[in-house]
Short mmCIF file of all heavy atoms in Angstrom, two decimals:
data_model
loop_
_atom_site.label_atom_id
_atom_site.label_comp_id
_atom_site.label_asym_id
_atom_site.label_seq_id
_atom_site.Cartn_x
_atom_site.Cartn_y
_atom_site.Cartn_z
N ALA C 187 8.64 24.55 -4.13
CA ALA C 187 8.11 23.62 -5.13
C ALA C 187 7.78 24.35 -6.43
O ALA C 187 8.04 23.83 -7.53
CB ALA C 187 6.88 22.91 -4.58
N ALA C 188 7.19 25.55 -6.30
CA ALA C 188 6.86 26.31 -7.51
C ALA C 188 8.13 26.71 -8.26
O ALA C 188 8.16 26.66 -9.49
CB ALA C 188 6.05 27.55 -7.13
N ARG C 189 9.16 27.10 -7.51
CA ARG C 189 10.41 27.46 -8.17
C ARG C 189 11.03 26.25 -8.87
O ARG C 189 11.52 26.36 -10.00
CB ARG C 189 11.40 28.01 -7.14
CG ARG C 189 11.04 29.40 -6.63
CD ARG C 189 11.99 29.83 -5.54
NE ARG C 189 11.69 31.18 -5.06
CZ ARG C 189 12.27 31.74 -4.01
NH1 ARG C 189 13.20 31.07 -3.34
NH2 ARG C 189 11.93 32.97 -3.64
N ALA C 190 11.00 25.10 -8.20
CA ALA C 190 11.55 23.89 -8.82
C ALA C 190 10.77 23.52 -10.07
O ALA C 190 11.35 23.14 -11.09
CB ALA C 190 11.53 22.74 -7.82
N GLU C 191 9.44 23.64 -9.99
CA GLU C 191 8.62 23.32 -11.16
C GLU C 191 8.90 24.29 -12.30
O GLU C 191 8.99 23.89 -13.47
CB GLU C 191 7.15 23.36 -10.78
CG GLU C 191 6.21 23.01 -11.91
CD GLU C 191 4.76 23.04 -11.49
OE1 GLU C 191 4.49 23.29 -10.29
OE2 GLU C 191 3.88 22.82 -12.36
N GLU C 192 9.03 25.58 -11.95
CA GLU C 192 9.30 26.57 -13.00
C GLU C 192 10.67 26.34 -13.63
O GLU C 192 10.83 26.43 -14.85
CB GLU C 192 9.23 27.98 -12.39
CG GLU C 192 9.46 29.10 -13.39
CD GLU C 192 8.37 29.21 -14.44
OE1 GLU C 192 7.33 28.55 -14.28
OE2 GLU C 192 8.57 29.95 -15.42
N ARG C 193 11.67 26.02 -12.81
CA ARG C 193 12.99 25.74 -13.38
C ARG C 193 12.98 24.49 -14.24
O ARG C 193 13.65 24.43 -15.27
CB ARG C 193 14.01 25.59 -12.24
CG ARG C 193 14.31 26.89 -11.54
CD ARG C 193 15.30 26.71 -10.41
NE ARG C 193 15.55 27.96 -9.72
CZ ARG C 193 16.41 28.89 -10.09
NH1 ARG C 193 17.13 28.68 -11.17
NH2 ARG C 193 16.56 30.00 -9.41
N SER C 194 12.20 23.48 -13.82
CA SER C 194 12.09 22.28 -14.64
C SER C 194 11.42 22.61 -15.98
O SER C 194 11.83 22.11 -17.03
CB SER C 194 11.29 21.22 -13.89
OG SER C 194 11.10 20.07 -14.69
N ARG C 195 10.39 23.47 -15.92
CA ARG C 195 9.73 23.86 -17.17
C ARG C 195 10.67 24.62 -18.09
O ARG C 195 10.73 24.36 -19.31
CB ARG C 195 8.51 24.73 -16.85
CG ARG C 195 7.70 25.12 -18.08
CD ARG C 195 6.69 26.18 -17.75
NE ARG C 195 7.32 27.44 -17.44
CZ ARG C 195 7.75 28.31 -18.34
NH1 ARG C 195 7.62 28.04 -19.63
NH2 ARG C 195 8.31 29.43 -17.98
N ILE C 196 11.44 25.55 -17.49
CA ILE C 196 12.39 26.33 -18.30
C ILE C 196 13.46 25.41 -18.88
O ILE C 196 13.89 25.59 -20.04
CB ILE C 196 13.01 27.44 -17.45
CG1 ILE C 196 11.93 28.46 -17.06
CG2 ILE C 196 14.13 28.13 -18.19
CD1 ILE C 196 12.39 29.50 -16.08
N ALA C 197 13.91 24.43 -18.09
CA ALA C 197 14.91 23.48 -18.59
C ALA C 197 14.37 22.70 -19.79
O ALA C 197 15.08 22.47 -20.77
CB ALA C 197 15.34 22.52 -17.48
N ARG C 198 13.10 22.28 -19.70
CA ARG C 198 12.51 21.56 -20.85
C ARG C 198 12.42 22.46 -22.07
O ARG C 198 12.72 22.04 -23.19
CB ARG C 198 11.12 21.05 -20.47
CG ARG C 198 11.11 19.92 -19.46
CD ARG C 198 9.76 19.22 -19.44
NE ARG C 198 8.67 20.13 -19.12
CZ ARG C 198 8.20 20.35 -17.89
NH1 ARG C 198 8.75 19.73 -16.86
NH2 ARG C 198 7.21 21.19 -17.70
N GLU C 199 12.00 23.72 -21.84
CA GLU C 199 11.89 24.65 -22.97
C GLU C 199 13.27 24.89 -23.60
O GLU C 199 13.40 24.91 -24.84
CB GLU C 199 11.29 25.97 -22.49
CG GLU C 199 9.85 25.88 -22.03
CD GLU C 199 8.91 25.60 -23.18
OE1 GLU C 199 9.22 26.02 -24.31
OE2 GLU C 199 7.88 24.94 -22.96
N LEU C 200 14.29 25.10 -22.76
CA LEU C 200 15.63 25.33 -23.29
C LEU C 200 16.13 24.12 -24.08
O LEU C 200 16.73 24.25 -25.15
CB LEU C 200 16.60 25.64 -22.15
CG LEU C 200 16.56 27.06 -21.59
CD1 LEU C 200 17.44 27.17 -20.36
CD2 LEU C 200 16.98 28.07 -22.64
N HIS C 201 15.86 22.93 -23.55
CA HIS C 201 16.29 21.73 -24.27
C HIS C 201 15.61 21.64 -25.62
O HIS C 201 16.24 21.35 -26.64
CB HIS C 201 15.98 20.48 -23.44
CG HIS C 201 16.30 19.21 -24.16
ND1 HIS C 201 15.39 18.58 -25.01
CD2 HIS C 201 17.42 18.44 -24.20
CE1 HIS C 201 15.94 17.51 -25.52
NE2 HIS C 201 17.16 17.39 -25.04
N ASP C 202 14.28 21.89 -25.62
CA ASP C 202 13.55 21.79 -26.89
C ASP C 202 14.08 22.80 -27.90
O ASP C 202 14.29 22.48 -29.08
CB ASP C 202 12.06 22.01 -26.65
CG ASP C 202 11.44 20.89 -25.84
OD1 ASP C 202 12.05 19.80 -25.79
OD2 ASP C 202 10.36 21.10 -25.26
N VAL C 203 14.28 24.03 -27.43
CA VAL C 203 14.75 25.08 -28.35
C VAL C 203 16.15 24.77 -28.87
O VAL C 203 16.42 24.79 -30.08
CB VAL C 203 14.72 26.44 -27.63
CG1 VAL C 203 15.42 27.50 -28.49
CG2 VAL C 203 13.28 26.86 -27.35
N VAL C 204 17.07 24.47 -27.94
CA VAL C 204 18.46 24.25 -28.34
C VAL C 204 18.59 22.99 -29.19
O VAL C 204 19.25 22.99 -30.24
CB VAL C 204 19.36 24.16 -27.08
CG1 VAL C 204 20.77 23.75 -27.48
CG2 VAL C 204 19.38 25.50 -26.35
N ALA C 205 17.97 21.89 -28.74
CA ALA C 205 18.12 20.63 -29.48
C ALA C 205 17.58 20.76 -30.90
O ALA C 205 18.21 20.30 -31.86
CB ALA C 205 17.40 19.51 -28.74
N GLU C 246 14.53 32.98 -28.60
CA GLU C 246 13.76 32.15 -27.69
C GLU C 246 14.53 31.90 -26.39
O GLU C 246 13.95 31.91 -25.30
CB GLU C 246 13.40 30.81 -28.35
CG GLU C 246 12.45 30.97 -29.52
CD GLU C 246 11.92 29.64 -30.01
OE1 GLU C 246 11.82 28.71 -29.19
OE2 GLU C 246 11.62 29.53 -31.20
N MET C 247 15.84 31.67 -26.51
CA MET C 247 16.64 31.46 -25.30
C MET C 247 16.68 32.72 -24.44
O MET C 247 16.62 32.64 -23.21
CB MET C 247 18.06 31.04 -25.68
CG MET C 247 18.15 29.62 -26.26
SD MET C 247 19.82 29.22 -26.82
CE MET C 247 20.73 29.34 -25.27
N ARG C 248 16.76 33.89 -25.07
CA ARG C 248 16.78 35.13 -24.31
C ARG C 248 15.46 35.31 -23.55
O ARG C 248 15.45 35.77 -22.40
CB ARG C 248 17.02 36.31 -25.25
CG ARG C 248 17.24 37.63 -24.52
CD ARG C 248 17.47 38.77 -25.49
NE ARG C 248 18.66 38.53 -26.30
CZ ARG C 248 18.64 38.28 -27.61
NH1 ARG C 248 17.47 38.22 -28.25
NH2 ARG C 248 19.76 38.08 -28.28
N SER C 249 14.36 34.95 -24.17
CA SER C 249 13.07 35.06 -23.49
C SER C 249 12.98 34.13 -22.30
O SER C 249 12.46 34.50 -21.24
CB SER C 249 11.94 34.75 -24.49
OG SER C 249 11.94 35.65 -25.56
N LEU C 250 13.50 32.91 -22.45
CA LEU C 250 13.43 31.95 -21.35
C LEU C 250 14.37 32.32 -20.21
O LEU C 250 14.00 32.27 -19.04
CB LEU C 250 13.76 30.54 -21.86
CG LEU C 250 12.72 29.91 -22.78
CD1 LEU C 250 13.25 28.61 -23.37
CD2 LEU C 250 11.43 29.65 -22.02
N VAL C 251 15.60 32.70 -20.56
CA VAL C 251 16.56 33.06 -19.52
C VAL C 251 16.12 34.32 -18.79
O VAL C 251 16.41 34.51 -17.62
CB VAL C 251 17.96 33.24 -20.14
CG1 VAL C 251 18.96 33.76 -19.11
CG2 VAL C 251 18.46 31.92 -20.71
N GLY C 252 15.38 35.20 -19.46
CA GLY C 252 14.89 36.40 -18.81
C GLY C 252 14.00 36.10 -17.62
O GLY C 252 13.91 36.90 -16.68
N VAL C 253 13.34 34.94 -17.61
CA VAL C 253 12.49 34.57 -16.49
C VAL C 253 13.32 34.35 -15.23
O VAL C 253 12.86 34.58 -14.11
CB VAL C 253 11.69 33.29 -16.84
CG1 VAL C 253 10.83 32.84 -15.66
CG2 VAL C 253 10.82 33.55 -18.05
N LEU C 254 14.57 33.91 -15.39
CA LEU C 254 15.42 33.60 -14.24
C LEU C 254 16.05 34.85 -13.63
O LEU C 254 16.63 34.77 -12.55
CB LEU C 254 16.54 32.64 -14.66
CG LEU C 254 16.08 31.29 -15.21
CD1 LEU C 254 17.28 30.49 -15.66
CD2 LEU C 254 15.28 30.53 -14.18
N ARG C 255 15.97 35.97 -14.29
CA ARG C 255 16.61 37.18 -13.78
C ARG C 255 15.76 37.78 -12.67
O ARG C 255 14.57 37.99 -12.84
CB ARG C 255 16.79 38.21 -14.90
CG ARG C 255 17.72 37.73 -16.01
CD ARG C 255 17.77 38.75 -17.12
NE ARG C 255 18.64 38.30 -18.20
CZ ARG C 255 18.74 38.91 -19.38
NH1 ARG C 255 18.01 39.99 -19.61
NH2 ARG C 255 19.54 38.45 -20.31
N THR C 256 16.40 38.07 -11.56
CA THR C 256 15.70 38.69 -10.43
C THR C 256 16.15 40.11 -10.16
O THR C 256 15.52 40.83 -9.41
CB THR C 256 15.93 37.86 -9.15
OG1 THR C 256 17.34 37.77 -8.91
CG2 THR C 256 15.36 36.47 -9.30
N ARG C 263 9.05 38.96 -24.12
CA ARG C 263 8.72 37.58 -24.45
C ARG C 263 7.75 37.56 -25.61
O ARG C 263 6.71 38.22 -25.62
CB ARG C 263 8.10 36.88 -23.23
CG ARG C 263 8.98 36.91 -22.01
CD ARG C 263 8.48 35.97 -20.95
NE ARG C 263 8.49 34.61 -21.45
CZ ARG C 263 8.08 33.57 -20.74
NH1 ARG C 263 7.62 33.75 -19.54
NH2 ARG C 263 8.12 32.35 -21.25
N GLN C 266 4.15 32.18 -27.17
CA GLN C 266 4.61 30.81 -27.22
C GLN C 266 4.07 30.13 -28.48
O GLN C 266 2.96 30.40 -28.91
CB GLN C 266 4.12 30.04 -25.98
CG GLN C 266 4.76 30.49 -24.68
CD GLN C 266 6.19 29.99 -24.56
OE1 GLN C 266 6.69 29.32 -25.46
NE2 GLN C 266 6.85 30.34 -23.48
N LEU C 306 0.95 24.32 -26.47
CA LEU C 306 2.41 24.36 -26.43
C LEU C 306 2.99 22.96 -26.29
O LEU C 306 3.99 22.62 -26.96
CB LEU C 306 2.86 25.23 -25.25
CG LEU C 306 4.37 25.29 -24.99
CD1 LEU C 306 5.10 25.86 -26.20
CD2 LEU C 306 4.67 26.11 -23.74
N ARG C 310 5.66 21.21 -28.88
CA ARG C 310 6.98 20.75 -28.46
C ARG C 310 7.15 19.26 -28.73
O ARG C 310 8.25 18.80 -29.03
CB ARG C 310 7.18 21.05 -26.97
CG ARG C 310 7.27 22.53 -26.62
CD ARG C 310 8.38 23.22 -27.36
NE ARG C 310 8.58 24.59 -26.87
CZ ARG C 310 9.28 25.51 -27.51
NH1 ARG C 310 9.85 25.21 -28.68
NH2 ARG C 310 9.43 26.73 -27.00
N GLY C 367 11.28 14.80 -21.37
CA GLY C 367 10.48 16.02 -21.27
C GLY C 367 9.11 15.86 -21.90
O GLY C 367 8.11 16.39 -21.39
N GLU C 370 6.86 14.09 -19.49
CA GLU C 370 6.41 14.97 -18.42
C GLU C 370 5.31 15.91 -18.91
O GLU C 370 4.33 16.16 -18.21
CB GLU C 370 7.59 15.78 -17.89
CG GLU C 370 8.63 14.93 -17.17
CD GLU C 370 9.79 15.75 -16.68
OE1 GLU C 370 9.82 16.98 -16.96
OE2 GLU C 370 10.68 15.20 -16.02
N ARG C 371 5.46 16.44 -20.12
CA ARG C 371 4.44 17.34 -20.65
C ARG C 371 3.11 16.63 -20.82
O ARG C 371 2.05 17.15 -20.44
CB ARG C 371 4.90 17.90 -22.00
CG ARG C 371 6.06 18.88 -21.93
CD ARG C 371 6.42 19.35 -23.33
NE ARG C 371 7.61 20.17 -23.35
CZ ARG C 371 7.64 21.47 -23.11
NH1 ARG C 371 6.51 22.09 -22.82
NH2 ARG C 371 8.76 22.15 -23.15
N LEU C 374 1.52 15.84 -17.54
CA LEU C 374 1.03 17.04 -16.86
C LEU C 374 -0.41 17.35 -17.22
O LEU C 374 -1.18 17.82 -16.38
CB LEU C 374 1.95 18.22 -17.21
CG LEU C 374 1.58 19.57 -16.59
CD1 LEU C 374 1.68 19.51 -15.07
CD2 LEU C 374 2.48 20.67 -17.14
#
Side-chain angles (χ1 to χ4, degrees):
R189 288 176 179 172
E191 182 179 357
E192 181 66 11
R193 290 179 182 276
S194 177
R195 184 191 68 82
I196 294 172
R198 290 196 302 267
E199 294 292 330
L200 281 173
H201 176 273
D202 293 341
V203 170
V204 173
E246 294 190 29
M247 290 175 62
R248 188 180 299 111
S249 299
L250 290 172
V251 174
V253 178
L254 300 177
R255 296 176 181 171
T256 58
R263 303 193 62 181
Q266 292 285 0
L306 175 61
R310 293 302 189 195
E370 293 179 357
R371 290 180 186 276
L374 179 63

